[in-house]
Amino acid sequence: MKEMDQNRAIQLFNRYAFESNAPPCEYDKITREIVKITGGLPLSLVVIGSSLYLESEEVCDDVLAKLKKKPHKEVQEVLKGKCRLRALHLMSCKRLIKTPNFSTSFTLERLVIKNCHRLVEIDPSITMLQHLKHLEIKGCILLWVLKGAPTTLNLDMGRQSWLDSLGNLKRLSTLRMENLALLQLPDSIGEIPGLQVLSLCNSFVKKLPKSIRKLKNLVKLIILSTNIIELIDSIGELKRLEIRDMEGCKLRKLPKTIGMLKKLEELDSSICIFLEGEIPMEIGELSSLKEQNLSGTHIYEVPPSISRLSQLTRLTMGGCEEL
C-alpha cells in the first residue's frame, strides 16, 4: 500500500491509541515521532496505536525508543516479534462480513466490534482469547447471535457456536452486547467469575440464564430496551450489584429477592410499561439505594417500607397514572 500522508496517518494512529482524532497535549510529540518512524504504514499505525491504548506516557516513550533502533522498513518485523497487540477496535468497517481469526492474537485484552453493519459471523477463535478483559459487540445489525439463526441470512447453527463457549473467557470483566439481534445468553456465562459489567441493551433477549447467579462480582447489569419479562429469584444472590438499569424493558414485576441486594445504589425501571401492581415490601431492605426511577409504569402502590431507605435522594414517579 501507499504510505499515508502525515495528517491522515496521525489521525489513524490517534483513533486507535486515544479514541480521538487528536492526541492529548502531552502525547502530541510522541505521536508525531511514531508516525514518522513507521513511514505512514497503515498496519503499523493500527497495531502500535492499539498496543498503546490507555498506556502511560512512560510506556509510549519506551515503545518509541525501541522503534528508533530500527528504520521504518523493518517495523513489520518489530510488529511480528516484539509488540504485543492488546487492543483491537473494528469500528464502522463497511465491508467486514466475518471477523478475522483471533488465534494468533493471544495477548488481546480489549476487543471492540462496533457498527459493522454487514457483519454476519464472529470467528469461533474469539473464545481462545484467554487474556481478554473487555468485549464489546455493538450495532452490528445483521449479526444474529444465537444458535439456529434465521435461514434467510444463510447462517447455520455452527457458525454462531462461539457463543456457547463464552464461558472460556475467564478473565472477562466487561461484556457489552448491544444493539444487535441477541436472543439468548448461554448458561456458560456463569463460568466467568470476574465479570463486573454486563450490558444487553437494545437486544432481543427474553430472559436471563439461571447461571447468572454465579456472577458474584457483577456490579452493573444493564438490560434496558430488552424483551426480558421477569427476573429470576436467584438474582438476589448478586451481592455486589450496584446498578440495575432496566429502562424500557418488558418487565412485569420486581422479584421479592430484590431486598437481598444490599449494595444496590441505582434502580431504573422507567418506561417499563408492563410493570404493574405493587412494589414488593422487600424494597425497604435496600439500605444503599440512592436513586429509584419508576416513571411511566403502571405501579399503583408504594409500600410503607420505602421510609427505611435512609440513603434515598431521588424517587421519580412521573406518569404513574395508576398510583
Side-chain angles (χ1 to χ4, degrees):
M1 291 184 65
K2 279 187 174 183
E3 296 180 351
M4 302 178 72
D5 67 72
Q6 187 180 34
N7 289 335
R8 288 185 177 274
I10 289 174
Q11 188 179 48
L12 178 62
F13 177 81
N14 290 332
R15 193 173 296 169
Y16 283 87
F18 308 109
E19 289 190 335
S20 173
N21 288 332
C25 294
E26 63 270 23
Y27 289 88
D28 183 70
K29 183 179 179 181
I30 296 174
T31 295
R32 292 181 180 277
E33 289 195 50
I34 289 178
V35 169
K36 182 179 179 181
I37 290 173
T38 58
L41 297 174
L43 177 61
S44 302
L45 296 169
V46 169
V47 173
I48 296 175
S50 297
S51 69
L52 295 179
Y53 179 75
L54 293 180
E55 292 290 1
S56 66
E57 192 174 352
E58 291 74 16
V59 172
C60 294
D61 281 331
D62 183 58
V63 170
L64 178 59
K66 291 178 181 178
L67 291 174
K68 281 182 176 179
K69 294 178 181 179
K70 290 181 177 288
H72 73 265
K73 292 181 180 179
E74 297 181 28
V75 165
Q76 295 296 339
E77 294 303 317
V78 176
L79 296 178
K80 291 178 182 178
K82 294 186 178 180
C83 289
R84 300 194 312 154
L85 183 63
R86 285 184 284 186
L88 177 60
H89 290 198
L90 301 173
M91 297 186 291
S92 300
C93 302
K94 296 181 180 179
R95 301 190 180 205
L96 187 67
I97 296 175
K98 178 183 177 180
T99 65
N101 188 306
F102 299 106
S103 59
T104 59
S105 307
F106 58 90
T107 58
L108 206 60
E109 296 179 2
R110 180 184 178 92
L111 175 60
V112 176
I113 306 171
K114 185 177 180 181
N115 296 333
C116 298
H117 293 159
R118 296 184 64 189
L119 183 71
V120 296
E121 186 175 353
I122 302 289
D123 193 274
S125 60
I126 193 173
T127 59
M128 299 170 61
L129 301 176
Q130 297 299 309
H131 295 276
L132 197 63
K133 297 178 181 178
H134 181 110
L135 175 58
E136 182 174 341
I137 305 175
K138 182 177 182 179
C140 301
I141 56 178
L142 290 184
L143 183 64
W144 287 76
V145 192
L146 72 163
K147 293 191 299 183
T151 54
T152 53
L153 293 180
N154 295 319
L155 294 179
D156 55 38
M157 294 177 67
R159 288 176 66 177
Q160 297 299 346
S161 61
W162 67 271
L163 188 64
D164 289 330
S165 302
L166 197 63
N168 291 343
L169 303 176
K170 302 297 184 185
R171 298 193 181 186
L172 207 61
S173 61
T174 298
L175 176 60
R176 293 183 175 271
M177 303 183 75
E178 306 171 343
N179 297 89
L180 55 98
L182 172 67
L183 294 192
Q184 63 187 66
L185 280 176
D187 285 332
S188 66
I189 196 172
E191 306 304 318
I192 309 176
L195 195 63
Q196 297 180 21
V197 177
L198 175 60
S199 177
L200 307 171
C201 70
N202 291 298
S203 68
F204 296 162
V205 173
K206 293 183 178 181
K207 63 179 181 179
L208 296 173
K210 294 181 180 179
S211 62
I212 200 172
R213 62 184 177 80
K214 298 180 182 179
L215 302 179
K216 304 299 184 183
N217 290 301
L218 197 64
V219 175
K220 280 187 181 182
L221 176 60
I222 304 172
I223 56 173
L224 64 87
S225 297
T226 62
N227 290 333
I228 292 177
I229 297 175
E230 63 178 351
L231 296 173
I232 55 178
D233 288 340
S234 59
I235 201 147
E237 298 180 32
L238 305 181
K239 303 297 185 182
R240 295 191 61 186
L241 199 63
E242 294 179 6
I243 298 175
R244 185 192 286 178
D245 192 342
M246 306 179 292
E247 179 185 353
C249 74
K250 296 183 178 179
L251 192 69
R252 298 184 183 278
K253 66 177 182 178
L254 294 174
K256 292 183 178 181
T257 53
I258 194 172
M260 300 169 62
L261 304 176
K262 304 298 184 183
K263 292 191 176 183
L264 195 65
E265 295 182 0
E266 296 181 25
L267 179 59
D268 187 351
S269 52
S270 60
I271 323 179
C272 292
I273 59 175
F274 297 103
L275 187 61
E276 59 184 7
E278 304 176 26
I279 295 295
M281 287 285 293
E282 288 76 10
I283 201 168
E285 304 299 320
L286 300 179
S287 55
S288 300
L289 194 64
K290 296 178 180 179
E291 297 185 20
Q292 182 174 14
N293 192 338
L294 293 164
S295 61
T297 66
H298 290 281
I299 292 296
Y300 62 72
E301 185 174 347
V302 177
S305 61
I306 200 170
S307 64
R308 299 204 300 266
L309 302 179
S310 59
Q311 300 296 318
L312 193 65
T313 58
R314 178 177 295 177
L315 175 61
T316 310
M317 301 194 71
C320 293
E321 298 178 357
E322 297 184 28
L323 188 63

